[in-house]
């Protein structure tokens, strides 16, 4: 099938669309390659190429006309707004390549099964950076023009083209005259109020014959002064192309790896003579020193800084490569490998100054680990609620099936599934693998069960995110589940051996959490009145959120078998609401409940988390993968921390873990919009909030585990769903999930909503 998105003229050029102007043309020996991103079972790979041609940039499209058209590639065009993840690759030798991800339009000639393709344009005569700069400038100004027109009500949606480049399409209401390559004029305050009238970004009238779309006329404007003609004389550039330092560093490191790998292939065993490997490293570093002297005048940073940072980058990669080669070829001892790893990690820590702070976190990058679907079951009372007769694996099965249905993800693309749980029989490994298979995941999808007590669900999400970051997998699921109805009780903790009982701190690990919380509340002087007030607010916030339907988006209804405790009749019911949420709870009513763990204590059933059942699941992948698969992006994972605290002060875990996570993310506590801190006990949650100096209004805005329950392994994954849903609903961005962990630990993670 031919690709013909461009209307061709008899003269060999193309016919512009209404209002379309050509703003840039590449040198003639420019090649094009268009191919599918990955090969998946059942999908034929797609590739089409041209060895020479010209690229044209207009104020709405990228157009490629091959020098020698073929039936397969007569011409190619893509709307600028349909091109993503653009960048230039500058190899050590050879021409520069401009790469982008392109979303095909309907009727454009691309087979329907390819939702996205990789476009590569190779500039054999140079000009890749110039082209990239012009493209980014056009895209930015086109997006601005679309935004103005959308805010004015003249277009809807995002302005992306969908008509294959025929007619005015989605840009009919946009003033394309504002999309150009000229520098914008310097702002000068006129002192006059702007005249009323339609916005300047509306298009001039188009005849029905031109576009078939009626648009409003643009108001009369004073003619602007024409820019002076460009100088014809050549002057050398005074600034480096965009990303110059990064490209040079990458090229140097790539060349180092090429030489080391080549030496390994030639010699067969580079590990047998490490001196050869270090000689290669020395040669590359010497070449790098010479290159630095030549390019120093083009660096935007001091040459010594460029040299220092690049040295670390090279040395880290060198150690990594040599470790890999030596471990594979010469079977290095474990001690040597650990030492190399320590040196590598030390150098990585000082490799570059990573942008930090709130604004840096809000930036979007192709390698961001993003959440494209997050959901949960309802949370029901342990032993009483709708899930009391449902096994944990069956709850998980329901969450998995709903995740596949809601996200539309091809189950065969999911490579690994991590499930957090605390009380599942046998650790859940067998049952959860079976649940994944029954839900529709193929045998190629791996499954594991993990237990870090109350943070198990969060740990599952973080494990999957880190596996994606490292390149181990591309797509994974972090989940959590608990059936406290069937598994909770004294049998959950075994007797300690004499060895463990003889160690004071180790022995503290088996003290029941209720007793621990009582000790912590007494140690930290958390008054019962304050605990009851906090607990009452949790109930009240949850009641209000439930009435407004604020949980509906994250909860997936689940149909299960239920035995009526009064009649012993088995029924089939659909559970879609948290049944632990109760109306009418006040601090005064909670004040009448007897303490549970000490006669003069402060902890009771009303100010502690409920014993509950439930499941949650989170789908994660890189941003570039999500764009390629057309997955909606709910938010991204940023950083996580896990810390230890004294077992008897188990509840202070969030106060210790949250500052560590924030520091790693480069954030201050006030940069965070919402904190989801698990309410294991009002005493510990209240202490952590006060200790960190958090704004109470930012903490658990829809209530917490005191109001609707804490299914141990589920909570961490449930918090991700609750947090991202609320951030998006309130148009806020940064959130933190955190919890205390039995035996004395705390965990926290930073997330950004989109």
């Amino acid at each position: 099938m031919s690709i013909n998105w461009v209307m061709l003229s008899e003269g060999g050029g193309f016919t512009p669309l209404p209002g379309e102007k050509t703003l840039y043309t590449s040198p003639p020996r420019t090649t094009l390659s268009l191919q599918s991103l990955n090969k998946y079972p059942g999908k034929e790979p797609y590739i089409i190429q041209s060895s020479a041609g010209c690229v044209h940039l207009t104020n709405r499209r990228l157009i490629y006309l091959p020098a020698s058209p073929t039936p397969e590639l007569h011409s190619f065009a893509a709307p600028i707004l349909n091109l993503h993840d653009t960048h230039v690759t500058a190899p050590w030798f050879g021409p520069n390549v401009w790469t982008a991800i392109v979303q095909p339009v309907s009727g454009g000639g691309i087979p329907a099964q390819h939702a996205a393709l990789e476009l590569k344009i190779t500039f054999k005569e140079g000009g890749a950076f110039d082209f990239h700069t012009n493209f980014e400038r056009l895209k930015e100004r086109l997006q601005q023009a679309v935004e103005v027109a959308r805010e004015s009500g003249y277009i809807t949606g995002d302005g992306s083209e969908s008509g294959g480049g025929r007619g005015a399409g989605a840009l009919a209401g946009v003033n394309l005259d504002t999309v150009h390559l000229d520098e914008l004029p310097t702002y000068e305050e006129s002192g006059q109020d702007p005249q009323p009238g339609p916005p300047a970004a509306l298009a001039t009238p188009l005849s029905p014959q031109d576009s078939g779309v009626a648009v409003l006329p643009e108001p009369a404007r004073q003619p602007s002064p024409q820019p002076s003609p460009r100088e014809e004389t050549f002057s050398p550039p005074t600034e480096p192309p965009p990303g110059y330092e990064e490209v040079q560093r990458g090229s140097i490191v790539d060349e180092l790896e090429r030489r080391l790998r080549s030496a390994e292939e030639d010699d067969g065993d580079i590990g047998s003579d490490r001196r050869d490997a270090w000689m290669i490293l020395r040669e590359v570093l010497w070449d790098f020193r010479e290159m630095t002297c030549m390019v120093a005048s083009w660096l935007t940073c001091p040459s010594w800084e460029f040299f220092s940072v690049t040295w670390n980058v090279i040395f880290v990669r060198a150690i990594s490569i040599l470790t890999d080669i030596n471990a594979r070829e010469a079977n290095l001892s474990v001690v040597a490998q650990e030492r190399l790893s320590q040196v590598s990690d030390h150098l990585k820590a000082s490799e570059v100054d990573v942008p930090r702070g709130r604004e840096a976190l809000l930036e979007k990058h192709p390698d961001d680990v993003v959440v494209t679907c997050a959901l949960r079951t309802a949370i029901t009372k342990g032993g009483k609620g709708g899930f009391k007769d449902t096994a944990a694996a069956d709850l998980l099965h329901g969450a998995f099936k709903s995740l596949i249905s809601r996200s539309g993800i091809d189950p065969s693309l999911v490579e690994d599934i991590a499930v957090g749980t605390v009380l599942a029989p046998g650790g859940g490994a067998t049952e959860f693998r079976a649940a994944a298979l029954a839900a529709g995941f193929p045998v190629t999808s791996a499954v594991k069960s993990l237990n870090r007590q109350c943070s198990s669900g969060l740990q599952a999400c973080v494990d999957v995110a880190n596996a994606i970051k490292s390149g181990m997998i591309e797509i994974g699921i972090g989940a959590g589940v608990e059936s406290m109805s069937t598994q909770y009780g004294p049998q959950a903790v075994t007797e300690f051996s004499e060895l463990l009982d003889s160690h004071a701190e180790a022995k503290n690990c088996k003290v029941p959490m209720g007793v621990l919380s009582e000790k912590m509340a007494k140690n930290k002087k958390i008054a019962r009145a304050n605990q009851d007030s906090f607990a009452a607010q949790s109930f009240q916030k949850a009641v209000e959120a439930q009435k407004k339907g604020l949980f509906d988006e994250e909860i997936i209804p689940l149909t299960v078998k239920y035995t009526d405790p009064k009649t012993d009749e088995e029924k089939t019911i659909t559970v879609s609401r948290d049944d632990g949420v109760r109306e009418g709870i006040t601090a005064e009513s909670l004040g009448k409940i007897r303490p549970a763990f000490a006669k003069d204590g402060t902890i009771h059933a009303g100010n502690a988390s409920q014993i509950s059942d439930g499941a949650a699941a989170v789908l994660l992948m890189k941003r570039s993968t999500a764009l390629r698969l057309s997955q909606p992006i709910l938010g991204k994972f940023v950083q996580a921390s896990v810390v230890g605290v004294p077992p008897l002060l188990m509840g202070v875990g969030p106060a210790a873990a949250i500052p560590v996570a924030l520091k790693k993310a480069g954030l201050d506590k006030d940069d965070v919009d919402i904190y989801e801190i698990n309410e294991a006990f009002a005493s510990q949650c209240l202490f952590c909030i006060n200790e960190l100096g958090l704004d109470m209004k930012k903490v658990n805005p829809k209530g917490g585990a005191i109001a609707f329950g804490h299914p141990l392994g589920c909570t961490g994954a449930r918090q991700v769903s609750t947090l991202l849903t609320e951030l998006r609903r309130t148009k806020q961005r940064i959130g933190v999930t955190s919890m205390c962990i039995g035996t004395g630990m705390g965990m926290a993670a930073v997330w950004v909503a989109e």
Side-chain angles (χ1 to χ4, degrees):
M1 184 179 293
S2 66
I3 300 175
N4 188 2
W5 295 352
V6 186
M7 294 177 289
L8 299 175
S9 303
E10 292 183 1
F14 63 91
T15 302
L17 299 171
E20 186 174 26
K21 299 177 182 177
T22 301
L23 303 175
Y24 171 89
T25 299
S26 75
R29 293 181 64 245
T30 302
T31 72
L32 176 139
S33 168
L34 190 67
Q35 60 185 347
S36 49
L37 292 161
N38 283 308
K39 296 180 181 178
Y40 295 116
K43 292 185 178 181
E44 289 296 324
Y46 182 85
I47 183 168
I48 197 162
Q49 296 175 317
S50 172
S51 59
C54 283
V55 178
H56 306 273
L57 281 178
T58 76
N59 52 359
R60 65 190 298 168
R61 295 184 295 172
L62 177 152
I63 298 167
Y64 181 85
L65 299 179
S68 301
T70 64
E72 292 75 25
L73 183 60
H74 197 54
S75 59
F76 170 85
I80 286 176
L81 294 182
N82 282 7
L83 293 159
H84 309 283
D85 294 350
T86 55
H87 62 278
V88 175
T89 302
W92 186 275
F93 300 108
N96 296 340
V97 180
W98 184 83
T99 304
I101 303 299
V102 59
Q103 297 174 271
V105 298
S106 177
I110 302 298
Q113 67 264 33
H114 297 288
L117 298 170
E118 183 180 57
L119 172 65
K120 287 188 175 182
I121 299 175
T122 303
F123 292 80
K124 292 184 178 180
E125 298 180 20
F129 285 100
D130 187 31
F131 171 83
H132 181 66
T133 301
N134 289 331
F135 176 88
E136 290 298 317
R137 182 177 295 175
L138 286 175
K139 186 171 184 179
E140 180 183 7
R141 291 181 180 173
L142 185 56
Q143 287 172 330
Q144 291 171 347
V146 168
E147 186 65 24
V148 171
R150 185 195 304 116
E151 291 176 356
S152 306
Y154 291 96
I155 64 170
T156 58
D158 62 0
S160 298
E161 295 272 12
S162 59
R166 307 180 191 281
L171 300 182
V174 178
N175 180 15
L176 296 176
D177 288 340
T178 65
V179 183
H180 52 76
L181 293 177
D182 295 333
E183 294 292 338
L184 294 176
T186 305
Y187 172 76
E188 295 182 3
E189 188 172 356
S190 64
Q192 299 178 354
D193 294 332
Q195 297 299 317
L202 298 181
T204 55
L206 298 176
S207 67
Q209 292 80 6
D210 288 334
S211 67
V213 180
V215 295
L216 294 182
E218 184 179 358
R221 293 179 292 180
Q222 295 297 325
S224 57
Q226 296 297 317
S228 58
R230 295 184 178 179
E231 294 291 335
E232 296 297 330
T233 57
F234 171 78
S235 58
T238 58
E239 295 182 357
Y244 181 75
E245 289 94 340
E246 290 77 8
V247 169
Q248 293 295 344
R249 290 189 191 108
S251 298
I252 294 166
V253 175
D254 289 345
E255 175 65 8
L256 166 65
E257 180 159 3
R258 187 193 68 77
R259 293 191 192 181
L260 288 173
R261 298 294 184 191
S262 296
E264 180 192 15
E265 292 173 2
D266 294 341
D267 298 342
D269 187 6
I270 196 171
S272 63
D273 190 351
R274 269 179 259 167
R275 289 180 300 174
D276 292 345
W278 291 110
M279 284 297 293
I280 292 173
L281 174 61
R282 181 180 176 184
E283 291 173 4
V284 172
L285 293 177
W286 183 262
D287 291 347
F288 154 63
R289 177 181 176 275
E290 295 296 315
M291 185 275 295
T292 303
C293 296
M294 290 188 291
V295 305
S297 61
W298 265 29
L299 299 177
T300 57
C301 59
S303 58
W304 62 266
E305 181 180 320
F306 174 77
F307 189 94
S308 175
V309 172
T310 309
W311 169 273
N312 281 340
V313 175
I314 294 173
F315 209 76
V316 168
R317 179 72 75 89
I319 289 177
S320 175
I321 297 167
L322 292 174
T323 301
D324 174 55
I325 293 173
N326 290 336
R328 180 155 39 86
E329 298 291 344
N331 192 23
L332 282 179
S333 67
V334 174
V335 174
Q337 292 184 54
E338 288 180 352
R339 180 56 184 156
L340 285 169
S341 178
Q342 291 170 359
V343 175
S344 176
D345 290 342
H346 173 73
L347 289 169
K348 284 179 182 176
S350 60
E351 182 176 321
V352 290
D353 292 328
V354 179
R356 304 179 68 77
R358 181 182 175 95
E359 292 306 315
L361 287 194
L362 299 183
E363 295 177 359
K364 299 178 182 179
H365 303 282
D367 60 349
D368 290 337
V369 176
V370 300
V371 175
T372 64
C373 188
L375 49 77
R376 67 177 177 94
T377 67
I379 297 175
T380 65
K381 297 178 183 177
K384 301 177 183 178
F387 292 145
K388 71 180 182 67
D389 302 311
T390 305
D394 292 351
L395 291 173
L396 190 64
H397 170 269
F400 284 162
K401 287 200 70 172
S402 297
L403 188 78
I404 294 171
S405 174
R406 180 177 291 188
S407 68
I409 191 70
D410 179 352
S412 67
L413 301 181
V414 176
E415 297 164 89
D416 198 12
I417 301 170
V419 183
T421 190
V422 179
L423 303 171
T430 301
E431 293 86 349
F432 299 162
R433 166 72 163 161
L437 294 172
F441 291 104
V443 294
T444 54
S445 297
V447 181
K448 73 173 179 179
S449 170
L450 61 91
N451 179 2
R452 200 193 283 275
Q453 304 209 44
C454 302
S455 71
S456 298
L458 177 57
Q459 187 68 62
C461 294
V462 171
D463 279 5
V464 170
N466 287 336
I468 293 170
K469 275 187 174 182
S470 70
M472 179 179 176
I473 64 173
E474 189 171 8
I475 300 174
I477 294 172
V481 66
E482 209 71 68
S483 173
M484 298 181 76
S485 292
T486 59
Q487 297 298 322
Y488 184 68
Q491 73 279 3
V493 180
T494 59
E495 285 297 318
F496 279 12
S497 67
E498 183 179 348
L499 172 65
L500 300 184
D501 263 336
S502 65
H503 188 283
E505 205 70 281
K507 187 174 183 179
N508 288 337
C509 289
K510 71 174 182 179
V511 179
M513 281 189 282
V515 175
L516 288 175
S517 294
E518 196 69 79
K519 291 179 178 292
M520 198 272 308
K522 185 175 182 180
N523 181 282
K524 299 298 183 181
K525 297 180 173 57
I526 309 297
R528 169 162 177 169
N530 293 338
Q531 296 177 48
D532 291 345
S533 176
F534 178 84
Q537 290 176 39
S538 181
F539 278 106
Q540 292 159 11
K541 288 186 288 187
V543 168
E544 182 180 1
Q546 195 174 68
K547 286 182 176 179
K548 291 181 177 179
L550 303 187
F551 294 119
D552 294 350
E553 182 180 346
E554 60 181 285
I555 295 178
I556 46 102
L558 205 58
T559 300
V560 297
K561 299 290 186 180
Y562 173 82
T563 301
D564 191 319
K566 296 180 180 179
T567 64
D568 286 334
E569 178 188 1
E570 186 179 77
K571 306 175 182 178
T572 298
I573 63 172
T574 299
V575 183
S576 59
R577 286 166 62 88
D578 302 325
D579 63 16
V581 178
R582 289 175 286 171
E583 292 191 57
I585 301 295
T586 64
E588 291 73 22
S589 65
L590 293 177
K592 299 175 183 179
I593 302 176
R594 294 174 58 184
F597 303 102
K599 186 177 293 186
D600 60 344
T602 61
I603 310 294
H604 56 80
N607 62 19
S609 57
Q610 300 180 37
I611 295 171
S612 308
D613 308 321
V618 180
L619 179 61
L620 299 117
M621 63 190 72
K622 283 190 177 180
R623 183 183 300 280
S624 56
T625 305
L627 291 173
R628 188 178 77 234
L629 298 177
S630 299
Q631 283 279 309
I633 297 176
L634 307 182
K636 69 176 179 179
F637 166 76
V638 178
Q639 264 293 356
S641 66
V642 61
V643 301
V645 298
L648 290 181
L649 296 178
M650 172 270 307
V652 306
I658 289 175
V660 176
L662 292 180
K663 183 178 180 181
K664 288 182 178 181
L667 294 173
D668 182 80
K669 63 182 176 64
D670 296 328
D671 292 326
V672 178
D673 298 309
I674 294 178
Y675 289 89
E676 280 288 333
I677 302 177
N678 187 42
E679 299 170 355
F681 301 90
S683 57
Q684 60 82 210
C685 196
L686 195 56
F687 168 79
C688 293
I689 293 169
N690 294 337
E691 181 73 8
L692 296 174
L694 304 182
D695 182 349
M696 189 71 76
K697 294 178 181 178
K698 292 184 175 184
V699 180
N700 302 346
K702 295 191 290 191
I706 289 174
F708 46 75
H710 172 30
L712 303 176
C714 166
T715 292
R718 189 276 305 167
Q719 285 183 326
V720 177
S721 174
T722 302
L723 175 68
L724 292 180
T725 302
E726 184 65 8
L727 284 171
R728 286 162 59 83
R729 184 186 74 83
T730 56
K731 294 181 172 56
Q732 299 182 93
R733 300 302 303 276
I734 297 178
V736 167
T737 60
S738 183
M739 67 284 293
C740 60
I741 305 173
T743 70
M745 290 178 283
M747 190 169 185
V750 180
W751 308 83
V752 173
E754 296 188 8

